[in-house]
Amino acid sequence: MDQPEASSLSLPALSVASQAATTRELLLAAFEDLNQVQMKRFRHKLRDSPLNGRSIPWGRLESADAVDLADLLTQFYGPEPALDVARKTLKRADIRDTAARLKEQRLQRLGPSSSALLSASEYKKKYREHVLWQHAKVKERNARSVKINKRFTKLLIAPERAALEHDSLGPAEEPEPERAWRSDTHTFNRLFCRDEQGQRPLTVVLQGPAGIGKTMAAKKILYDWAAGKLYHGKVDFAFFLPCRELLERPGTCSLADLILDQCPDRSAPVRQMLLESERLLFILDGVDELPPPGPEEAAPCTDPLEAAGGARVLGGLLSKALLPKARLLVTTRTAAPGRLQGRLCSPQCAEVRGFSDKDKKKYFYKFFQDEWRAERVYRFVKENETLFALCFMPFVCWIVCTVLRQQLDLGQDLSSTSKTTTSVYLLFITSILSSAPASDGPRLTGELRKLCRLAREGILGRRTQFPEQHLERLQLRGSQVQVLFLNKKELPGVLQTEFTYHFIDQSFQEFFAALSYLLEEEEPREAPGGVVGELLRGGAELRCHLVLTTRFLFGLLSAERMQDIERHLGCVVSECVKQDVLKWVQDQSQGSRRVGPEGAEETDALHGTEESEESEEEEEFNFLLQLLYCLYETQEAAFVRQALWGFRELALECLRFSRMDMAVLSYCVRCCPAGQALQLDRCALPAVQKKKKSLMKRLQGSLSSSSSSHSTMKKPQASPLHPLCKAMTDQQCGLTSLTLSRCKLPDSVCRDLSEALREAPALTELSLLHNVLSEGGLRVLSEGLAWPGCRLQTLRLQQPGLQEALQYIVRALQHSPALTTLDLSGCQLSGPTVTHLCAVLQHPGCRLQTLCLTSVELSDRSLEELQAVRTAKPGLVITHPALSSHSEPPKGLNTAF
């Protein structure tokens, strides 16, 4: 018979391994006192007295000696239950003196058994009360404690199936932003609901960028569970495990030890908890911190009592090798889910999207509590369109509110503006340091350099907790920057209490690490890439880990930020760092992916298996988007133009764009150099947020429209690609080629593309490949194509099933001022459409020089008409497999149509 899934800890001060060894010693000492008759009677009584309906098979008991019996009991029942079973069986076998000695020795060596304490069902109430008390308040980054119910503001959470619904949209349908749920108790309860196939997920992944509110949402889930609002009747115990702290925990520990650390006392019935693992919820916060599985993790941790390293225990939970029936709620940064897929077992993913515009306002009011101040600050931030957009991230909201509150307290004007995350962080730090007397400036600058060095050492070494020795080495202990930017944590030691320090938020450690490269007093130029080489030239795993640090570095290198550093921090920043970073970006272009004019991909030599090739491509595309984010942080058009000079094409594939992603891409396109190409292949476009009108405004609108016959037409809604199309019309934009492939473009995108065709200064090539275009979309697009100022020279349109809708494109040929190449490969052309096309091709206003009809099925009549056009216009190249060998048209065929 199999062993039970888990056993318990009897004395928490002892490790599980030492407790099992002590149990064997006690049992062996008791059994050695028995004679043969007593031993036989004990074995029979043990067989006839099962525990919870389970007993050791007689075949293993019948010939067992004292040593065998001690091992069997310990392994089968677990250390603590084994002692209880042995003592009770000895009493039933009328060996009471030995039973009494076993009880006495057990109390001396292991303390009281948990059977004398609360059962798991009785302990649930005590544990819930402990969680409510412990998590009622959360510490903000500046160490202020606030009540979680008063500070938590609902976030938008989009389930994984929203992406599937987006894929199933028709050609003219817009993705609905309302598919993202607001993070209330109803949404949290739905995370573990059964899917359409009736399967209930046991692993839920909450993913999102740094600062989006994943940790706060996870803590709110734990708090609401303890309050009885979540998973009622399904989860008896929930545990919050911060992965970063567990990975840096010295020594080894078991999952049972980690559970015990969460409990209010050291007498928790851990064995009983583990026996019903299907009623346990583990919240693993920050699993992106886990390193890739090493050789020591080849055999995953499967025993909750096994003492192992933090990475191995967490890896066992993630892979379901450990407590496979338990529920897991996992949080991770957006850049990391791809690395976790191989470690997770059938996960249900959900994306944390931050605040809606309505919830931004709620956050401001909750933060300030004073309604007058909240309204003043909210109006100021809302007028700054870029800053208001950044506030979809709760952490940015907190920084903005903290800085503006300080300015209000000092009576300062709310005039500071910020366009990027980097500038918001720098504004926060300079505002904090500005409160110090001017005479302390040089000392603070020196301390800040050391703090940045500490941050960089930690980031490169994947360390977030720093012992006191590290601070003493850098002379930071007791310094002003330590008080301002580091939090102190007490750890119970063996001989004395120990203290560790960590930054007020991990993103601040990443910011200070980036700042360290600009505050270097000496530049060690012998290293490849200068001082920043260690940051930028890491492998794929390290590069993913350093995404935010790298982004901050680019943001700090803008001319405006460098001036801020010199003015507020008193540090002169060397231009060498900026040149090193620029050269690194230009070096990346040497391996960039190329796509030929006919859509044929040219790639570098690939090695390894097909799986490795796919992972490399995915990594490359994700890397390119992260690079664009870095360039966006600079907000320096000249730098972006120089950086992108070597990238002939920006190719992004299989991405789900957020609104921020599209804003970043649009900015880089606005600044791109002449001759740049952009390709979006199988990308999901961001949903357009629809503003809901109040009931009063809707009533007013309906009354005004019914009372006035001259009501104005409804303004068309902007499309998901509106920012990109707007960027293409900028006079500094050098984008010459745009390819949209398998992106399912709604009609609103065609409207914005049509507007871009009218004004784009450099766009000469447009490819729309398999995008489920509608007839209405093509009609709107053709209007821009026929515009007198349109500079488009090449149009590629590959879309089966359009047929008669192509007449709008054909009609535009006689008015298009610059179009010389039209590729309709793969389209379906009816006979009347081909006849119309042939007539337009001979129109005096048609400037077409090349017509490609590869893979187009044509009737003999259509082929004859096209051959006649080719004869009448020798300068027109018409490409079709059947035309090269087709005979001359009959003499009776009118070539003038």
Side-chain angles (χ1 to χ4, degrees):
M1 190 175 291
D2 295 336
Q3 295 180 15
E5 188 177 15
S7 54
S8 82
L9 305 174
S10 2
L11 185 62
L14 294 176
S15 69
V16 174
S18 62
Q19 185 188 15
T22 303
T23 299
R24 290 189 183 93
E25 290 178 13
L26 293 174
L27 291 174
L28 186 59
F31 296 151
E32 286 178 343
D33 289 343
L34 306 183
N35 57 39
Q36 290 185 357
V37 174
Q38 290 174 323
M39 181 68 79
K40 184 177 181 179
R41 191 162 64 243
F42 176 84
R43 288 195 295 262
H44 279 82
K45 292 294 183 182
L46 183 60
R47 179 193 62 180
D48 299 334
S49 304
L51 177 66
N52 296 329
R54 304 176 68 255
S55 59
I56 301 174
W58 177 246
R60 300 171 68 181
L61 282 176
E62 186 175 10
S63 58
D65 58 13
V67 175
D68 294 335
L69 270 179
D71 287 337
L72 279 173
L73 282 164
T74 305
Q75 292 174 7
F76 193 84
Y77 294 112
E80 182 180 340
L83 292 170
D84 290 335
V85 169
R87 183 177 57 82
K88 292 177 182 177
T89 305
L90 286 168
K91 290 176 68 175
R92 282 195 294 270
D94 199 24
I95 315 173
R96 297 182 181 274
D97 53 341
T98 304
R101 282 198 301 273
L102 178 61
K103 180 178 180 180
E104 182 181 352
Q105 291 173 358
R106 180 244 175 82
L107 285 172
Q108 293 175 354
R109 298 282 299 275
L110 295 176
S113 68
S114 62
S115 60
L117 306 172
L118 295 176
S119 66
S121 58
E122 295 169 326
Y123 198 79
K124 280 191 295 186
K125 181 179 179 182
K126 182 177 183 179
Y127 179 74
R128 284 178 183 267
E129 290 173 350
H130 170 70
V131 172
L132 284 175
W133 173 81
Q134 191 176 42
H135 294 275
K137 290 186 176 182
V138 290
K139 275 194 174 183
E140 293 192 322
R141 280 78 178 183
N142 55 3
R144 290 177 65 229
S145 291
V146 293
K147 291 184 177 179
I148 191 170
N149 277 336
K150 288 189 175 181
R151 180 51 53 85
F152 180 77
T153 305
K154 294 175 182 176
L155 303 163
L156 291 177
I157 296 180
E160 187 178 41
R161 56 177 168 269
L164 301 177
E165 292 173 1
H166 180 280
D167 290 342
S168 64
L169 294 176
E173 293 180 87
E174 297 280 1
E176 293 286 343
E178 287 77 16
R179 286 193 176 93
W181 306 329
R182 297 181 75 222
S183 56
D184 51 18
T185 53
H186 179 61
T187 297
F188 290 149
N189 269 315
R190 291 172 70 177
L191 291 176
F192 286 99
C193 284
R194 297 185 185 275
D195 57 20
E196 296 175 354
Q197 287 74 37
Q199 300 295 320
R200 188 186 301 279
L202 291 178
T203 301
V204 174
V205 180
L206 290 181
Q207 60 189 45
I212 201 70
K214 303 182 296 296
T215 298
M216 178 68 87
K219 289 184 176 180
K220 187 65 165 62
I221 288 174
L222 179 68
Y223 184 82
D224 284 350
W225 165 81
K229 298 178 181 178
L230 292 179
Y231 317 130
H232 183 68
K234 300 175 182 177
V235 174
D236 289 342
F237 296 92
F239 308 101
F240 186 87
L241 302 179
C243 295
R244 191 189 317 148
E245 293 183 14
L246 298 182
L247 291 173
E248 295 180 1
R249 178 171 174 159
T252 60
C253 63
S254 66
L255 179 62
D257 295 326
L258 296 179
I259 291 175
L260 205 55
D261 291 342
Q262 303 272 316
C263 296
D265 52 54
R266 307 296 291 181
S267 58
V270 180
R271 175 188 63 84
Q272 297 179 44
M273 295 180 189
L274 293 173
L275 284 174
E276 295 186 280
S277 62
E278 68 276 5
R279 304 187 69 82
L280 301 181
L281 169 64
F282 293 93
I283 302 175
L284 309 185
D285 184 43
V287 296
D288 47 279
E289 296 289 333
L290 263 70
E296 67 278 1
E297 294 181 61
C301 181
T302 58
D303 184 357
L305 302 177
E306 179 187 354
R312 191 157 172 256
V313 173
L314 293 173
L317 281 174
L318 287 174
S319 64
K320 289 296 181 182
L322 184 59
L323 300 186
K325 296 180 182 180
R327 300 172 191 244
L328 298 183
L329 179 68
V330 171
T331 72
T332 178
R333 289 189 178 183
T334 306
R339 298 188 298 115
L340 294 175
Q341 290 302 320
R343 308 182 74 163
L344 297 175
C345 182
S346 303
Q348 169 70 45
C349 296
E351 179 186 3
V352 182
R353 295 183 177 175
F355 291 148
S356 65
D357 289 351
K358 181 179 179 181
D359 290 322
K360 291 176 191 176
K361 185 174 183 178
K362 286 186 176 181
Y363 183 91
F364 278 82
Y365 275 76
K366 286 186 176 183
F367 184 94
F368 284 96
Q369 297 183 349
D370 181 339
E371 187 173 345
W372 179 84
R373 279 189 159 202
E375 183 64 25
R376 183 182 175 189
V377 171
Y378 176 74
R379 285 186 178 181
F380 166 76
V381 174
K382 192 174 183 180
E383 289 172 1
N384 184 330
E385 187 176 342
T386 307
L387 184 60
F388 187 67
L390 284 174
C391 283
F392 81 97
M393 298 180 65
F395 188 55
V396 174
C397 251
W398 176 79
I399 291 178
V400 170
C401 289
T402 302
V403 171
L404 296 181
R405 180 177 60 191
Q406 182 182 12
Q407 291 181 340
L408 284 176
D409 291 342
L410 297 175
Q412 297 175 353
D413 183 27
L414 304 181
S415 57
S416 300
T417 58
S418 301
K419 291 184 177 180
T420 64
T421 310
T422 305
S423 58
V424 170
Y425 275 67
L426 187 60
L427 175 64
F428 174 79
I429 289 170
T430 54
S431 66
I432 294 295
L433 294 177
S434 63
S435 60
S439 58
D440 292 345
R443 177 178 56 82
L444 271 179
T445 300
E447 291 180 356
L448 187 63
R449 278 197 173 98
K450 295 173 183 177
L451 183 72
C452 291
R453 194 175 308 149
L454 180 73
R456 184 168 75 184
E457 291 174 0
I459 288 296
L460 295 178
R462 301 181 77 104
R463 171 183 289 273
T464 58
Q465 305 284 335
F466 302 94
E468 289 185 313
Q469 299 91 316
H470 285 206
L471 273 69
E472 291 172 351
R473 173 173 56 85
L474 294 172
Q475 299 177 337
L476 283 173
R477 187 178 178 187
S479 65
Q480 191 166 351
V481 295
Q482 178 231 300
V483 175
L484 292 173
F485 301 113
L486 295 177
N487 285 338
K488 190 176 183 180
K489 184 176 181 180
E490 182 177 323
L491 296 177
V494 179
L495 299 177
Q496 59 182 359
T497 301
E498 299 176 354
F499 295 96
T500 62
Y501 297 83
H502 58 90
F503 284 83
I504 56 178
D505 187 84
Q506 186 183 356
S507 59
F508 270 105
Q509 182 178 348
E510 292 166 305
F511 178 85
F512 282 120
L515 184 60
S516 70
Y517 293 101
L518 278 75
L519 301 185
E520 286 286 344
E521 296 178 289
E522 297 181 1
E523 298 288 336
R525 303 292 298 171
E526 66 276 3
V531 69
V532 295
E534 61 180 355
L535 175 67
L536 300 177
R537 283 173 165 75
E541 175 64 29
L542 185 62
R543 180 184 293 169
C544 180
H545 171 61
L546 299 174
V547 162
L548 192 56
T549 307
T550 307
R551 194 181 300 177
F552 280 138
L553 175 62
F554 275 76
L556 290 169
L557 289 176
S558 73
E560 189 175 350
R561 298 289 81 76
M562 291 169 74
Q563 291 173 4
D564 289 340
I565 291 172
E566 293 181 12
R567 182 169 61 252
H568 296 292
L569 304 182
C571 303
V572 178
V573 180
S574 171
E575 282 285 338
C576 295
V577 179
K578 192 170 186 177
Q579 294 305 314
D580 289 339
V581 171
L582 177 60
K583 186 178 185 305
W584 174 78
V585 177
Q586 292 171 338
D587 289 345
Q588 306 310 301
S589 66
Q590 303 304 316
S592 63
R593 184 171 176 266
R594 310 286 190 192
V595 174
E598 298 299 327
E601 299 181 0
E602 303 172 15
T603 56
D604 297 334
L606 298 177
H607 304 281
T609 63
E610 293 182 3
E611 291 183 2
S612 65
E613 291 174 1
E614 292 177 3
S615 63
E616 286 173 7
E617 287 186 6
E618 181 181 354
E619 173 198 331
E620 181 179 352
F621 292 126
N622 288 333
F623 168 71
L624 180 57
L625 181 61
Q626 294 302 330
L627 179 61
L628 296 181
Y629 261 96
C630 292
L631 296 177
Y632 172 82
E633 283 293 317
T634 67
Q635 288 294 302
E636 197 170 296
F639 182 87
V640 176
R641 194 168 291 112
Q642 278 185 286
L644 292 178
W645 188 262
F647 289 84
R648 192 182 75 182
E649 180 182 58
L650 303 176
L652 299 169
E653 180 176 322
C654 299
L655 294 177
R656 291 186 60 201
F657 278 94
S658 65
R659 285 191 292 167
M660 194 64 202
D661 293 339
M662 188 56 62
V664 167
L665 176 61
S666 302
Y667 174 79
C668 293
V669 166
R670 180 180 287 109
C671 303
C672 70
Q676 189 84 65
L678 172 65
Q679 176 184 349
L680 304 183
D681 185 13
R682 286 169 289 174
C683 292
L685 303 181
V688 179
Q689 194 166 23
K690 298 177 181 179
K691 295 183 178 179
K692 294 184 178 181
K693 292 183 178 180
S694 64
L695 177 61
M696 185 60 67
K697 287 186 177 181
R698 279 181 285 173
L699 288 173
Q700 290 174 351
S702 60
L703 290 173
S704 61
S705 61
S706 61
S707 61
S708 174
S709 59
H710 303 285
S711 58
T712 58
M713 293 183 62
K714 184 180 178 181
K715 184 179 179 181
Q717 184 184 0
S719 76
L721 285 185
H722 179 74
L724 179 63
C725 294
K726 188 71 176 174
M728 290 191 297
T729 63
D730 191 284
Q731 293 305 305
Q732 301 301 316
C733 175
L735 189 73
T736 57
S737 174
L738 173 65
T739 300
L740 301 174
S741 176
R742 297 176 179 86
C743 294
K744 295 192 176 180
L745 305 179
D747 289 350
S748 58
V749 169
C750 293
R751 188 183 308 111
D752 283 332
L753 281 174
S754 180
E755 292 295 327
L757 289 176
R758 304 180 191 210
E759 303 179 33
L763 190 65
T764 58
E765 184 176 331
L766 176 63
S767 300
L768 302 176
L769 314 177
H770 306 283
N771 289 296
V772 200
L773 298 171
S774 70
E775 182 176 345
L778 280 182
R779 178 176 53 78
V780 175
L781 186 67
S782 65
E783 294 173 1
L785 193 63
W787 194 257
C790 178
R791 295 177 172 84
L792 197 71
Q793 300 174 8
T794 301
L795 174 64
R796 294 188 181 87
L797 191 62
Q798 296 181 11
Q799 181 59 62
L802 289 176
Q803 295 190 10
E804 302 305 325
L806 289 172
Q807 63 179 313
Y808 298 109
I809 299 297
V810 172
R811 191 178 304 162
L813 292 178
Q814 58 191 6
H815 303 292
S816 181
L819 193 66
T820 58
T821 301
L822 176 64
D823 186 352
L824 298 178
S825 300
C827 294
Q828 296 176 358
L829 301 179
S830 63
T833 301
V834 174
T835 301
H836 184 204
L837 173 63
C838 291
V840 170
L841 288 174
Q842 298 190 87
H843 189 277
C846 179
R847 293 173 171 78
L848 205 66
Q849 299 174 6
T850 302
L851 174 64
C852 184
L853 299 175
T854 306
S855 304
V856 177
E857 294 184 8
L858 297 174
S859 65
D860 290 341
R861 173 72 178 180
S862 296
L863 288 171
E864 291 172 353
E865 292 175 346
L866 288 169
Q867 185 67 43
V869 172
R870 196 162 67 167
T871 302
K873 294 186 69 173
L876 176 62
V877 178
I878 303 179
T879 305
H880 189 277
L883 281 179
S884 58
S885 59
H886 204 274
S887 60
E888 292 294 322
K891 293 183 179 180
L893 187 63
N894 184 4
T895 58
F897 298 100

